[in-house]
């Protein structure tokens, strides 16, 4: 039996594009999605275009650590070849999840952290772990205290960027702990997807003036697909290139502090 590739947010723009590309390579994929109906339609469309695609849907609500635990419990040793942390959200306002976490941090950071940790026994020895990050990380700062931002500290793009930066640091901490894993990050650029809508009056205008210049999801996901095929780890994939994680994101001491703080927070949930 071939080990599977788990793609979170597989019903979204780049998630669906990734699933289709992987299906064309003949890889078995687990579509980890919060909305089974939406995922079912995406799966049906891909199967119509890629006969013989091996796609299974499993429910995963990343804002709920209980859902993450249920999802991970379904996989046995050696069943998972790769884990693609693709799901992500830009929360439109400050909100706490039922676990008491800020919503975008729960989905973009705590969910992927816990999911990876719980799936470690299910991974093949040299499994690939790829996380979708963002160019917004460049303008963000993160500290252990920032993992649980207060309402006064929330801003849509700022908090999103901080959660993605935390994910970037997590990837490096993970690679240090598990050197056999091939852990990489991918930056898709600016991509035409639901995510870039701001929920504001100017959205229709932006759709006309801005969206045509964004990448198509099939192109935006290419760095992540390259990362999912990479022979090594510790690389930042962007456009057609990959290189070492940029120096501005390399801070092992901070990464260890973030790791410990995250474990402590998750241990209480
Ligand atoms: N678009 C860009 O310009 C851009 C730039 C940099 C990075 N990224 C990153 O690329 C990744 C893919 O984004 P996209 O542009 O393809 O956006 P998208 O079309 O909105 O896809 C996001 C996916 O995440 C899923 N998701 C959201 N909240 C979730 C939750 N609570 N639990 C489980 N799944 C959840 C969505 O589920 P539903 O299908 O149910 O809505 C969707 O499948 C994200 O991590 C994003 O941060 C995007």
């Amino acid at each position: 039996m071939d080990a599977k590739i788990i793609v979170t947010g597989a019903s979204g723009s780049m998630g669906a594009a990734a699933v289709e590309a992987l299906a064309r390579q003949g890889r078995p994929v687990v579509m980890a999605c919060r909305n089974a109906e939406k995922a079912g339609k995406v799966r049906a469309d891909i199967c119509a275009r890629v006969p013989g695609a091996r796609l299974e849907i499993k429910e995963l609500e990343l804002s709920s650590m209980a859902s993450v635990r249920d999802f991970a419990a379904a996989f046995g040793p050696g069943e998972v070849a790769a884990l693609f942390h693709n799901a992500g959200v830009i929360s439109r306002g400050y909100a706490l999840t039922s676990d008491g976490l800020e919503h975008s941090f729960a989905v973009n950071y705590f969910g992927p952290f816990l999911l990876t940790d719980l799936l470690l026994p299910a991974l093949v020895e040299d499994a690939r772990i790829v996380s979708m990050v963002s160019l917004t990380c460049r303008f963000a700062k993160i500290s252990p205290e920032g993992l649980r931002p207060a309402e006064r500290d929330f801003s849509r793009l700022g908090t999103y960027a901080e959660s993605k930066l935390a994910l970037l640091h997590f990837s490096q901490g993970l690679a240090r702990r598990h050197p056999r894993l091939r852990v990489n990050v991918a930056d898709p650029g600016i991509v035409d997807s639901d995510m870039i809508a701001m929920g504001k009056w100017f959205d229709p205008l932006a759709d006309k003036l801005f969206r045509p210049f964004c990448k198509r999801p099939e192109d935006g996901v290419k760095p992540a697909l390259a990362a999912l095929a990479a022979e090594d780890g510790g690389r930042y994939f962007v456009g057609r290139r990959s290189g070492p994680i940029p120096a501005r994101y390399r801070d092992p001491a901070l990464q260890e502090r973030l790791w410990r703080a995250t474990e402590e927070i998750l241990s209480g949930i």
Side-chain angles (χ1 to χ4, degrees):
M1 192 187 62
D2 284 353
K4 300 163 185 174
I5 301 181
I6 296 175
V7 178
T8 68
S11 50
S13 307
M14 283 190 270
V19 173
E20 180 155 351
L22 295 167
R24 287 187 193 281
Q25 296 166 17
R27 310 293 302 271
V29 179
V30 176
M31 300 172 61
C33 298
R34 61 177 168 174
N35 178 336
E37 199 184 327
K38 183 176 174 193
K41 287 186 186 135
V42 171
R43 179 180 183 275
D45 286 350
I46 296 174
C47 287
R49 290 192 291 270
V50 188
R54 290 180 288 166
L55 310 179
E56 106 191 62
I57 296 169
K58 276 199 197 304
E59 208 168 304
L60 174 65
E61 170 51 71
L62 279 163
S63 68
S64 154
M65 298 309 120
S67 171
V68 173
R69 291 191 172 97
D70 286 349
F71 177 89
F75 296 90
E79 259 192 72
V80 180
L83 175 55
F84 177 21
H85 292 303
N86 163 72
V89 69
I90 300 179
S91 302
R92 289 190 178 172
Y94 183 80
L96 295 180
T97 67
S98 54
D99 296 320
L101 300 169
E102 188 282 321
H103 182 257
S104 38
F105 263 92
V107 174
N108 300 340
Y109 175 66
F110 286 104
F113 186 110
L114 182 61
L115 182 60
T116 312
D117 186 47
L118 295 174
L119 283 175
L120 285 172
L123 298 176
V124 299
E125 203 176 272
D126 57 353
R128 293 173 168 106
I129 314 285
V130 174
S131 296
M132 201 70 119
V133 296
S134 158
L135 53 80
T136 60
C137 291
R138 211 184 171 112
F139 310 105
K141 281 202 165 65
I142 186 71
S143 66
E145 298 69 44
L147 296 173
R148 303 190 91 162
E151 187 163 9
R152 66 175 175 280
D153 300 321
F154 177 86
S155 72
R156 279 187 194 187
L157 277 179
T159 303
Y160 167 76
E162 287 157 16
S163 67
K164 287 289 183 180
L165 181 59
L167 186 65
L168 217 171
H169 285 307
F170 157 71
S171 298
Q172 296 171 75
L174 180 70
R176 262 196 306 282
R177 281 171 174 74
H178 302 281
R180 288 217 178 98
L181 295 177
R182 292 175 275 190
V183 187
N184 288 297
V185 298
D187 172 349
I190 300 179
V191 180
D192 182 2
S193 75
D194 288 349
M195 174 159 281
I196 61 171
M198 298 304 285
K200 297 267 192 196
W201 61 267
F202 53 75
D203 276 348
L205 198 64
D207 286 350
K208 279 209 174 91
L209 299 178
F210 177 60
R211 276 191 193 267
F213 297 99
C214 296
K215 289 186 188 171
R216 295 176 310 150
E218 311 83 275
D219 293 325
V221 81
K222 280 180 182 163
L225 289 170
L228 281 167
E231 288 305 323
D232 52 0
R235 300 184 80 73
Y236 192 102
F237 287 73
V238 58
R240 294 187 188 159
R241 292 172 288 119
S242 78
I245 305 273
R248 62 180 167 277
Y249 302 130
R250 278 188 254 139
D251 187 341
L254 171 64
Q255 286 156 15
E256 292 314 303
R257 288 194 294 126
L258 289 170
W259 193 286
R260 283 194 299 275
T262 304
E263 280 187 330
E264 203 179 311
I265 292 168
L266 287 172
S267 70
I269 295 175

